[in-house]
Structures are given as structure tokens and as C-alpha cells.
Amino acid sequence: MTKLLLNLRSSLKYLVRSHSSAQNRSFFWRRLSRPVSTYFLPLRHCGQTEKGRELFHSEFFVRKYNNLTTMPAKEPFQRLPSSVVPVNYDITLKPNLKAFTFEGSESISVKVTTATKTVTVNSADIEISSVKYVASGASSEVTGTVEFTKEKELVTFTFPEELAVGEGTLTVVFTGELNDKMKGFYRSKYTGPDGEDRYAAVTQFEASDARRSFPCWDEPALKATFDITLVVPKNRVALSNMPVISETDDSSDNNLKVVKYDKSPIMSTYLLAFCVGEYDYVEGTDSNGVKIRVYTPVGKKEQGQYALDVAVKTLPFYNDYFKIAYPLPKMDLIAIADFAAGAMENWGLVTYRETALLIDPKNSSSKAKQWVALVVGHELAHQWFGNLVTMEWWTHLWLNEGFASWIEYLCVDFCFPEFDIWTQFVNQDLGRALELDALHTSHPIEVPVGGPEEVDEIFDAISYSKGASVIRMLHNYIGDDDFRKGMNSYLTKYAYKNTFTEDLWAALEEASGKPVGEVMTTWTKQMGFPVIKASQTQNGNTRTVEISQEKFNADGKAKEGESTQWLVPISICTSESPDAPVKTILLDSKSQTVTLDNVKPESWVKLNAGSVGVYRVQYTTEMLDTLIPAIREQTLSPRDRLNVENDLFALARAGQASTVDVLKVALGYVTEDNFTVWQDLSANLSTVAIMLQYTDASDAYKQYAKDLFGPVAKKLGWEAKEGEGALTAMLRELVLLKMGRYGDPDTVQEATKRFEAHCNGKAKIPADLRATVYTTVLTNGNEDTYNKMLKLYDEADMQEEKVRISRLLGCTNDEKLIKRTLDFALSDKVRSQDTVFVVAGVTGTKLGRKLGWEFVKENWKQFHSRYQGGFLLSRLTKCMTENFVTEEMAKEVEDFFTANPAPAAERSIQQAVENVRLNAMWMQNESSKVSQFLLDRPSA
Ligand code: BES
Ligand code: ZN
């Protein structure tokens, strides 16, 4: 849960930058070139390329993939008919920021491919007053009738005569609402200069909400060019994807201006964006001459400087990596007050939550800076991977998100090597992927997707984190040179077009000469991943390692008929070569023997060197015993130290290792000094700690934790040392927080002292220590402390601080204060986008978990209508339920959602329930042994 919360929720030879060159212009205006007939067959993703067809029909795919699919088959979803397709949209929108409505009109140049009387497009919550069609060259227009199919978000225009094959223009006049649901064209609230409420009109179209702004072919493969015009108050900033080409007075209203934007390249509807509001900006130019601006709330432009610096480095980084120029003339990044996701990659106008973009040099934590860098790195990568080349259908969403979630690390590593960000990847993404994908209710990376709620559902850790993890494994398998080559040819070949997963494999296969498609299909089309079992024998200086694979299940129980095989790249390191693998093989069968020469009898051997592989390893006791000293002595790299404990915790949870043994191994990390290793270990321990809350060993566990975290907390102390670096600051924050939360008297005393000084203005707590101090005083304090925290919340100007405080409020142990926190979360003091996390903040304690779940049940209707079944609702249901520990609770959660269905959260609910059953299993099998161990332990 903690992990989930933290992440709410990532060679200049071929082409040099030349966005204005004739060569790139021709890409710009090129029309859709994939044959129209391919758009409408449901889920024909697998049959598109030669390789795809072969794999889809191969025995392997049919047998394994079909058997593994746990979701029931649904009625096939219909794509839009292909008889008429868009070529260019000329759209005018006039938002009314007071009445929360908008007027719109559009002239769409279309191609009629089959003569037809009807044109069906997507439309939702829009009223249409007229629709007309005129064929190219014709003198008169025809008027159509309008019929909505509301539940399918479709509108059908019917004309008296057939529209002939050829070109023509469809003109639609309509009105809509600037809604408050953070999707489509919506209103976002901010405070005006006199403290009054004001509203901006902004957009969030991915995945399927452009249709709430104007009737359109709202599918990623139906690309077109766009001419946008916005009619807005003269004193407002108005932005869209392209630069402004003209700004004139509105002839009908002296207070309005008419802003026209340059024609966009051929692009998908979900990438369009409009922002109308009051903003300041900082501006820079990258080394290739692209103008970059970061738009901030009025009066806060200096908070945009950090993101601007990142963007100025990032854009040329990708230019160089892909060897393709950034295709647009400008790049705007803008902070939006009300924003459902973290950020959105609209082409040339990337929108962000305030916390994902704004940094106050004095008041932002190292974590916040790191997060901003990752998010900027992620969204800017989409400008190529996703925007220039787009998935053909949402089934391939993972390609967009998995890739961006991988390359954001490459980019941050380039910009900020001091974050050692790849080690953090192992915890943030690989760890999360393995945790979720071990569940029977997981799903394959490539999953058949139909309508909008199913699309929302797959913005999950499988698409993002498993997607990123398999790409990292692949990158490592073929090497950076071939990877870049393949990327360039893929992006060049499919620029302004759409792709299937297999198209990327084909490009990388050609570049590397390795069987990329064959290997990757085992990872993307079947769910889960293997556990590699390893045993060894020694002969002289030769080590023989026997390895075998089977599917890893979180409950340790295989399902009948399920897959047990992947093509697994496995690298092995040893004491002789701890950082560079001594051997890398591709395991392509159930089991294999690997021989390692020049390995001394006393040497350790570790599989999954650098923790690059998407699998777990189960060693014999003998092999594991040699790794323990290597952890203590740090001859193993940080990523490998992390990997060893992480696999052990998972095996213990699955009943394949004893939790007591794992807790003993964990004590060996007492000398650990790496932030990420600590972060991972402490998250794993928290899972055990949550279950122990339901035993009589909860206090004994706290003592265990204090013994473990104490020495490093002591070593680091409270004062930052000059030049110590971000990772040390983050480690201090983590370990002192643990000590404080578990009630270490010295830590509580120091935190209380600092909190008082902070509140009465004597000494501000540095940003990196605020979460630590706040958590400590809240867990150990009283109503007075709580009220002081609320006061700090009210006074905070930065969203980062408000979010920090509000997410922590729930860690109090007092029933009355927990209830206050829950009510506060739904009050108008907390933005809808943050409510979920404030509510989830109470789930750290047994009492909070119980009260939180009751609260969600009582207010279910309100939550449901606030989030309209979006991904925030999935997150809420999961966080609020997954940490219960009994079969009764699993049943209760199931029953509740049977009576109150939430289609977009369906899979999350199943996963949460499975997790509860895993907890129940652990309680039954392990809790008394663990309690005994903890109660018997002599304290340090
Ligand atoms: N394309 C997504 C935004 C999105 C998410 C739109 C869900 C619609 C539904 C964007 O690129 C993204 O992935 N944003 C992440 C942040 C990123 C750094 C992992 C997010 O919003 O959490
Ligand atoms: Zn993304």
C-alpha cells in the first residue's frame, strides 16, 4: 500500500533536428496511410504483422495465453464504421468560464470510402444543433438528422441521400458543459487575487474523452490534422498544441479575443489539448532551438524553473537518443490545479498536476524534485513514443506507458546521475510489477480491450511497471546500440502512423539479429513470470548450477493447465565478478545446467545480476547462506542486495520460505547504507507489520524494527551534512520516520521539539525532514498536535506541502481524529484529485483501516459520482480493502461490490480480495511462529 501511494498512482547519426526542414514537413501533412479496412476488426492486433500472425496462431500462444486468461470473455466491442474517415478538423470552441458551458462548431474534411447515408462518430454529453454535409466541388449542402446512442457514446448523422465516395466537409454545431469531473473539457478551480474562486477551462482527453469536447472519431488510429480556434476573454491565457498564428478581437463581443493556432501534424484525438486561464511562465530554448515554456499559477513563475531546466536538457536527450527531431515548433508544460492523473503528454502542451511540475527551491523535498524529473522525462518521451508513433488500439497501451516508464529513468539518469535512479527502478517498478503479477487475478501485458471503462482499467502497474521492466530486460538482452538503432528505425518507419506491439519487436529484431519477437511474446501475451529454482555443485574451480523455471504464484499454488515457461535471459554474477555478469544465457526450456569456470569453492553465485530480469530466484539454503555475508560486507551491489531480500519476502508470503528465517536475514541489513535497499526492505517489512497488528506481537515487532533501523538512524542524525546528496537526505527521512512512528523516545522528543519551533516560526523544518517530523508527532501526539497540523495545512501555499500534510493526517491512532480526517478528505478543503490519498492515509493502522472501509461504504455513491468510475476509483477501492487479513473480510468486500458494481475497478477489486486471502493464509500458517520469534527475541 505504501508503495502504491508513493507513486500514485516511471547517438546523433541518422537524423539531426530539423523540424522546419522540408523533409520533416512532408511527414507533417501526410495523411493516414494504413489501409482503412484494418481499423475495424476487433482485436486483430495479433494478425497484423507477419510475426504477429505467426505467433498468434502458434500452438504456444493459443494454448498458454488462452489458458491463462482469468477474466471472463465479454461481448466484443465495436469500433467505429470505416465508411467515412476524418482528414482535417477545423474546430472553434468558446468556453464560458462563468456559466461552465461552451459553444462549438467544427468543419471536418472527410473521406467517404464507401457510399453511405449515415456517419457515426463518438460524442458524449454534447448537444448538437445542426449537422450539414457538402461534397467537394458541390454547390449545395445537405442537412442531416442527429441520433445519439448514449450508452455507447455515439452519434449517428443520417442524410437524405447517400454520400458519394470521395471527399467532402461535415459541419457540426454544438454546445457542451465545462464539467467538474476532470475529464473532457472541464473546469479547474483556482484562487483569484482577492481570494475569490476562479475557473480555468482545461482538457484531459486520454483515453476516450475528446468526445466530450467535440464530436469526433475518438480512436487512436483515426489520426487527422487539426486547426484549432479558441474564443476567450481578452485577459486570459489560451493555449493549444500548436503556436498561435493570429489573435484578433471578437467582432460580436468586445471582451473576447479570437485565437487561432497553427495546423497540427497528423495526430490522434486523445492528444489534443486546450487551456484557458491565468498563468505566468518561464521560458527557455533547448540546444536545438525549440522554445520551451513552463506555465505556473500567477505569481509563482520561479517554481517553474526546475522543470524548465529539466525539459531543456530532456528534449535534446531524446532527439539524440531517437535520432529524430522533436516534431513541433514549441513545447509548453503547464500546471493544472485540478488534475486527475499525474501528467498528460498532449503533443506540444503537456499538462501536469501542480506537484508533478512545481518546485520551490527552498520548500521542496529531494523526493519532489526527483518526481518532477521523472514525470517530465516520461511525458516528453511520449512526444515521440506515443504521439509521433501511436498504438493502433488500447490493447497496445502498454507499449506507450511501459516504454515511457522505462526511458524516463534513462533520461533522469542522464540529467541527474546523483539520484542513482536505476536502483530505484528495481524498487519502484520491478518490485511493484512482480508483486501484482504474481496474483491469479493479474492479466497479460497485452490485453484485449473494448470500451472506455476497460481502457481506464488497464492504466495499471502491469502496463506501466511490468511493461517498463520487460523493456529494461530486453534492452539489457540486446544492448544499447542495437536498441537505439531499432528504436530509430521503428519511429522513422511509423512516424505519424499507428503500430502494434509486434512492429516494435520486428524493428528491434532486425537491429539486433536476436529473436526479440519470440522472447518478448512470452512476456507480453501470457500473464505472470517465473521463479527460477537454483542449486549447485562444485568440482575443483568449476561451479555447476542447475536452474529450472515454473510460474511464480503469490499463494504458492499453481493453477491447473497454467503456463510454466518463458524465454528468460539470465545473467549470473559471482564473488569474482560482483558487478559484471560472468555468464548470460537464454533459458528456453524447463531446466538447464550452467557451468561456470574459475569460481572458487567458497565463492558466492547470484542469479539475476543487477536485478534486470523479470523473475524471482529461489536458492538452496546452501547457496543462500553464502549470499548473506556478501550482503553484510556489501560485496553484492545494492541492486543485488535489494533483490535478495525482495525475493525472500515474496517466497515467504507464498509459503515457500519461513518468515522467521526472512526476518533473521533482514537483521543482516543492519549495516546497510543504501537508501533504495532500505526503502525496499522497509516496505516489505511493513507488509508483515500490518498483519502483525492483528496479533499480540505488534509491540515486539516495533522493537525489532527499532533495533534494525536504530543504528543507521543514529549514524545519520538529524542534521544534513554539507554536500551529502539527495539520497542521504532521503535515507535520513526514511529511517527517522520509522523510528518516530514506532515510538523511539529520542526520536519523538527531537521531532516534537522541531515541530514546536516550526509552528511558532523559530526554525523551519527542512523539506526533506517534514514528512518525518509530521508523522512522528501525529502518531505520538494528541488533538492539539492534529489541530496544529491542520493549521499548517491551511496556511500552506504550495500544493506539495498540502499533499504531504493531508496524506499523513490519517496516521493518528485516535478514533475521533481518524474520523475527522475522513470527513476532511471529502470537504471542500481537499481537491477531488487528492481525496483518495487522504482517505487512504488512514489505512496504516488497524483502527483506521476499519473506519476507513466503513466510511467508503457509507459514502460510496458520492465517490462513485465524483470519479465516474475512473482510475482514481480503482485506486480507492484497492487501497481501502487490500490490507484486511481474514476470509470474512474478503467475503465482505466481494459482497459489497457485487451489490455496488464498479466496472472500471473490477479487476482492482479482485486483486484486493486476492490479497486479503493471501494475508489470511499467512495469518494461519505463519503468524504464530513469527509472533513467537519476536516475543522471544532479546532486545538489542
Ligand atoms: N498518458 C498518461 C496519463 C494518463 C493516465 C491518461 C491515465 C489517462 C489515464 C501519462 O503519460 C502518464 O503516464 N502519467 C503518469 C505519470 C508518469 C510519470 C508515470 C500518471 O499520470 O500517473
Ligand atoms: Zn505515460
Side-chain angles (χ1 to χ4, degrees):
M1 216 272 321
T2 340
K3 279 196 195 173
L4 201 129
L5 273 188
L6 281 174
N7 212 29
L8 169 171
R9 84 101 132 18
S10 26
S11 41
L12 210 114
K13 250 187 268 142
Y14 293 75
L15 260 173
V16 275
R17 179 188 156 67
S18 56
H19 75 257
S20 54
S21 75
Q23 178 201 9
N24 263 21
R25 282 252 169 230
S26 67
F27 274 133
F28 245 69
W29 317 119
R30 201 155 64 207
R31 305 228 165 128
L32 232 67
S33 51
R34 194 174 280 278
V36 175
S37 62
T38 64
Y39 294 134
F40 310 103
L41 316 166
L43 303 167
R44 66 230 160 312
H45 58 290
C46 299
Q48 177 62 17
T49 62
E50 278 312 307
K51 198 74 203 168
R53 191 172 302 123
E54 188 186 302
L55 287 164
F56 181 61
H57 293 296
S58 74
E59 201 228 340
F60 169 81
F61 181 85
V62 174
R63 181 164 47 88
K64 302 206 167 125
Y65 178 54
N66 288 351
N67 285 345
L68 271 177
T69 306
T70 55
M71 303 302 287
K74 294 200 176 127
E75 188 197 333
F77 167 80
Q78 284 281 316
R79 301 263 288 262
L80 290 169
S82 61
S83 39
V84 181
V85 290
V87 174
N88 179 68
Y89 293 79
D90 191 337
I91 305 174
T92 301
L93 291 169
K94 184 167 146 187
N96 184 326
L97 303 174
K98 298 241 155 68
F100 307 142
T101 55
F102 61 88
E103 292 169 22
S105 63
E106 57 183 350
S107 281
I108 316 170
S109 313
V110 298
K111 239 190 203 163
V112 180
T113 60
T114 316
T116 174
K117 277 188 176 177
T118 61
V119 182
T120 299
V121 302
N122 294 112
S123 181
D125 301 336
I126 282 182
E127 288 190 20
I128 296 176
S129 56
S130 81
V131 57
K132 300 205 163 90
Y133 180 79
V134 55
S136 292
S139 53
S140 63
E141 54 187 21
V142 276
T143 301
T145 60
V146 177
E147 194 185 343
F148 291 98
T149 313
K150 203 166 175 250
E151 66 291 355
K152 293 190 173 159
E153 303 186 342
L154 294 173
V155 61
T156 299
F157 305 132
T158 306
F159 296 93
E161 313 268 297
E162 279 198 336
L163 313 182
V165 170
E167 288 168 11
T169 305
L170 193 67
T171 305
V172 189
V173 180
F174 53 91
T175 55
E177 189 204 352
L178 290 176
N179 71 68
D180 62 353
K181 308 289 184 220
M182 297 183 283
K183 62 186 196 177
F185 201 10
Y186 70 93
R187 57 186 193 260
S188 165
K189 189 160 110 177
Y190 63 98
T191 309
D194 301 326
E196 80 285 15
D197 288 346
R198 286 196 184 177
Y199 292 86
V202 297
T203 54
Q204 169 60 44
F205 288 168
E206 191 179 15
S208 313
D209 294 316
R211 63 189 66 173
R212 288 169 206 281
S213 179
F214 55 95
C216 57
W217 283 259
D218 200 10
E219 295 185 357
L222 287 155
K223 292 192 175 188
T225 52
F226 292 83
D227 292 297
I228 303 296
T229 304
L230 298 176
V231 183
V232 302
K234 278 183 176 162
N235 56 3
R236 293 295 186 267
V237 172
L239 304 170
S240 186
N241 307 74
M242 297 295 288
V244 173
I245 47 169
S246 73
E247 205 173 296
T248 52
D249 288 353
D250 181 28
S251 53
S252 64
D253 185 337
N254 200 26
N255 295 316
L256 301 180
K257 59 183 175 183
V258 178
V259 187
K260 278 187 185 300
Y261 301 86
D262 208 349
K263 189 187 285 296
S264 81
I266 291 180
M267 62 187 281
S268 305
T269 47
Y270 81 91
L271 293 167
L272 278 177
F274 324 120
C275 296
V276 181
E278 293 172 281
Y279 302 96
D280 281 343
Y281 64 83
V282 283
E283 180 174 41
T285 307
D286 82 357
S287 56
N288 298 304
V290 182
K291 253 213 187 145
I292 306 177
R293 283 183 181 176
V294 176
Y295 284 87
T296 70
V298 171
K300 294 185 175 176
K301 68 177 176 188
E302 66 292 343
Q303 292 182 12
Q305 190 59 45
Y306 178 83
L308 179 64
D309 294 344
V310 175
V312 163
K313 283 194 211 163
T314 297
L315 226 44
F317 173 78
Y318 290 134
N319 254 288
D320 185 41
Y321 196 85
F322 300 131
K323 297 283 174 272
I324 294 176
Y326 170 64
L328 303 190
K330 63 101 173 170
M331 175 83 246
D332 290 331
L333 297 80
I334 183 166
I336 306 285
D338 289 301
F339 197 78
M344 175 65 211
E345 69 267 27
N346 317 296
W347 218 357
L349 176 54
V350 182
T351 43
Y352 295 80
R353 262 187 194 222
E354 290 190 359
T355 48
L357 192 68
L358 304 180
I359 291 294
D360 173 352
K362 285 206 208 77
N363 288 300
S364 287
S365 65
S366 302
K367 269 210 186 116
K369 289 183 194 154
Q370 188 177 285
W371 178 236
V372 168
L374 284 167
V375 182
V376 171
H378 179 107
E379 305 309 338
L380 296 196
H382 278 314
Q383 307 301 305
W384 286 260
F385 205 101
N387 301 7
L388 181 62
V389 178
T390 311
M391 71 256 145
E392 200 277 342
W393 185 247
W394 301 107
T395 299
H396 305 272
L397 169 83
W398 87 273
L399 201 55
N400 256 12
E401 297 306 346
F403 183 84
S405 300
W406 169 76
I407 206 166
E408 67 185 64
Y409 284 84
L410 201 68
C411 168
V412 169
D413 196 39
F414 170 81
C415 297
F416 302 98
E418 64 274 23
F419 286 141
D420 183 21
I421 203 75
W422 279 115
T423 303
Q424 299 194 55
F425 179 96
V426 178
N427 163 256
Q428 292 294 319
D429 285 277
L430 179 62
R432 179 166 326 145
L434 296 180
E435 195 177 307
L436 180 56
D437 204 25
L439 299 180
H440 296 292
T441 48
S442 182
H443 64 88
I445 284 183
E446 280 187 75
V447 62
V449 199
E453 22 16 276
E454 285 178 39
V455 180
D456 274 349
E457 206 185 24
I458 56 165
F459 283 90
D460 68 357
I462 295 298
S463 300
Y464 279 78
S465 297
K466 189 183 180 190
S469 300
V470 301
I471 294 200
R472 175 166 173 254
M473 180 165 70
L474 169 65
H475 174 264
N476 192 261
Y477 170 60
I478 69 173
D480 192 56
D481 285 351
D482 289 344
F483 193 87
R484 282 180 188 225
K485 248 190 263 165
M487 284 312 306
N488 170 267
S489 82
Y490 168 83
L491 291 172
T492 308
K493 182 167 174 193
Y494 297 107
Y496 305 98
K497 296 185 198 147
N498 296 84
T499 55
F500 300 77
T501 300
E502 287 77 12
D503 297 328
L504 178 63
W505 299 161
L508 294 170
E509 185 153 321
E510 195 178 314
S512 67
K514 291 198 170 138
V516 173
E518 201 187 340
V519 170
M520 294 310 286
T521 303
T522 68
W523 296 96
T524 62
K525 291 202 197 286
Q526 55 183 3
M527 79 172 195
F529 59 87
V531 52
I532 306 291
K533 300 199 168 173
S535 61
Q536 63 179 19
T537 48
Q538 181 84 12
N539 203 334
N541 273 353
T542 300
R543 184 81 54 101
T544 308
V545 185
E546 291 288 340
I547 56 178
S548 67
Q549 58 165 317
E550 62 189 59
K551 181 177 186 294
F552 181 77
N553 290 307
D555 62 359
K557 294 178 192 127
K559 278 231 166 114
E560 212 190 311
E562 83 189 349
S563 161
T564 51
Q565 276 191 48
W566 284 258
L567 292 179
V568 198
I570 294 184
S571 340
I572 304 176
C573 58
T574 67
S575 310
E576 282 80 5
S577 174
D579 294 316
V582 291
K583 192 147 207 164
T584 298
I585 60 147
L586 183 66
L587 178 62
D588 58 1
S589 54
K590 183 95 189 114
S591 60
Q592 199 169 323
T593 304
V594 187
T595 309
L596 308 172
D597 296 323
N598 303 318
V599 178
K600 294 199 202 90
E602 66 275 18
S603 295
W604 53 259
V605 166
K606 181 183 176 290
L607 277 69
N608 201 1
S611 206
V612 180
V614 183
Y615 55 84
R616 297 208 181 275
V617 183
Q618 185 168 15
Y619 298 99
T620 57
T621 315
E622 178 215 354
M623 282 180 94
L624 189 62
D625 282 348
T626 60
L627 291 171
I628 308 299
I631 289 166
R632 230 179 8 248
E633 290 150 22
Q634 303 202 346
T635 44
L636 275 166
S637 73
R639 283 169 221 177
D640 287 321
R641 303 202 290 272
L642 187 162
N643 187 220
V644 170
E645 53 81 16
N646 196 291
D647 281 353
L648 277 176
F649 273 96
L651 288 165
R653 198 158 161 67
Q656 292 171 2
S658 120
T659 310
V660 170
D661 287 350
V662 177
L663 291 180
K664 286 182 189 159
V665 171
L667 287 172
Y669 284 76
V670 69
T671 52
E672 181 58 61
D673 57 6
N674 184 284
F675 162 67
T676 312
V677 179
W678 273 117
Q679 190 182 35
D680 194 77
L681 178 64
S682 101
N684 287 327
L685 285 167
S686 293
T687 311
V688 177
I690 282 171
M691 296 187 284
L692 288 169
Q693 290 172 350
Y694 297 88
T695 69
D696 58 358
S698 203
D699 285 339
Y701 171 78
K702 286 183 189 163
Q703 193 51 51
Y704 167 93
K706 282 182 277 187
D707 291 346
L708 181 57
F709 289 98
V712 59
K714 192 149 189 221
K715 195 171 124 205
L716 289 171
W718 282 84
E719 293 300 331
K721 320 256 174 325
E722 183 73 16
E724 65 180 9
L727 289 170
T728 306
M730 293 196 270
L731 179 57
R732 174 180 301 109
E733 175 190 15
L734 172 72
V735 296
L736 287 177
L737 187 147
K738 288 285 161 185
M739 295 302 281
R741 178 147 205 168
Y742 293 137
D744 170 60
D746 290 349
T747 313
V748 175
Q749 198 188 8
E750 183 66 26
T752 311
K753 195 178 97 199
R754 286 173 183 250
F755 184 67
E756 290 308 323
H758 183 75
C759 290
N760 62 31
K762 284 208 185 106
K764 257 193 158 181
I765 304 167
D768 281 327
L769 276 176
R770 279 192 211 158
T772 301
V773 171
Y774 296 165
T775 309
T776 305
V777 297
L778 273 168
T779 10
N780 299 281
N782 52 27
E783 189 163 358
D784 179 48
T785 325
Y786 187 90
N787 289 335
K788 283 185 181 149
M789 288 297 310
L790 279 184
K791 184 157 174 279
L792 289 178
Y793 179 90
D794 286 337
E795 288 166 1
D797 182 38
M798 270 207 99
Q799 198 59 17
E800 177 187 332
E801 177 75 353
K802 281 202 193 289
V803 165
R804 181 160 36 234
I805 295 172
S806 60
R807 288 184 182 197
L808 289 175
L809 280 177
C811 73
T812 166
N813 293 304
D814 181 322
E815 173 157 358
K816 196 166 101 208
L817 300 179
I818 294 173
K819 287 186 169 158
R820 263 177 77 184
T821 305
L822 292 166
D823 291 333
F824 169 79
L826 275 182
S827 74
D828 58 10
K829 283 195 168 189
V830 178
R831 289 185 185 267
S832 241
Q833 59 178 21
D834 300 319
T835 297
V836 168
F837 307 101
V838 180
V839 174
V842 307
T843 61
T845 62
K846 196 163 113 182
L847 179 60
R849 203 168 297 132
K850 178 169 162 276
L851 298 173
W853 170 233
E854 278 161 16
F855 183 80
V856 168
K857 285 190 291 183
E858 274 159 31
N859 295 284
W860 179 248
K861 278 213 179 80
Q862 193 179 346
F863 281 115
H864 204 270
S865 100
R866 267 195 191 209
Y867 301 118
Q868 302 280 299
F871 55 88
L872 283 172
L873 198 72
S874 309
R875 294 207 178 155
L876 178 78
T877 50
K878 197 166 188 179
C879 293
M880 300 313 290
T881 55
E882 69 180 354
N883 289 330
F884 290 115
V885 300
T886 60
E887 173 57 32
E888 294 72 62
M889 282 310 295
K891 195 84 193 48
E892 176 179 328
V893 173
E894 271 178 340
D895 290 348
F896 179 79
F897 289 110
T898 308
N900 302 276
E906 198 181 305
R907 191 168 0 234
S908 295
I909 295 161
Q910 289 178 7
Q911 289 163 349
V913 168
E914 185 175 348
N915 219 39
V916 176
R917 297 212 157 98
L918 282 172
N919 290 348
M921 179 179 100
W922 188 92
M923 290 299 287
Q924 201 166 44
N925 299 337
E926 292 283 86
S927 71
S928 62
K929 284 178 259 177
V930 172
S931 302
Q932 206 55 52
F933 161 73
L934 291 171
L935 291 165
D936 291 350
R937 246 182 91 250
S939 177

